Amino acid sequence: MNEQRWEEERLAVRRAAQRLTEDAGALTAASAEAAEVGLATRAEELRRAVLAAWSAGVAPEVLALDAGVEVDVIYGWVGGGGMNPGS
């Protein structure tokens, strides 16, 4: 496992989580439709970042911390298997 890639993937997860958090206020102040679409888009970006990091071998527990979500959310996104393909 390339440690540099692992760190890059974790950084991408943290950035996606930060964008979701930062944009949430502005999006919820917009129309209901805009808020729904915007939040869904940011959540999907976070989910994809988590999947990429998980595929690189980052543990679900670490991803939960980086993403700011419960580990059960991570397991739901990665298929619930709990196995890291990059391990």
Side-chain angles (χ1 to χ4, degrees):
M1 172 65 219
N2 181 334
E3 189 171 331
Q4 182 179 356
R5 178 171 176 225
W6 198 71
E7 287 303 319
E8 289 170 359
E9 297 293 352
R10 288 188 64 200
L11 180 59
V13 169
R14 290 191 299 270
R15 285 182 176 160
Q18 183 177 6
R19 280 191 302 274
L20 176 59
T21 301
E22 289 175 351
D23 291 353
L27 290 168
T28 55
S31 70
E33 184 178 339
E36 183 178 344
V37 170
L39 290 172
T41 299
R42 290 292 186 236
E44 179 62 15
E45 289 172 359
L46 177 56
R47 187 188 73 81
R48 288 180 183 200
V50 164
L51 289 173
W54 178 76
S55 294
V58 181
E61 295 78 12
V62 173
L63 291 171
L65 290 172
D66 288 345
V69 300
E70 297 291 327
V71 73
D72 289 343
V73 172
I74 302 299
Y75 285 129
W77 286 344
V78 301
M83 299 286 293
N84 270 17
S87 298

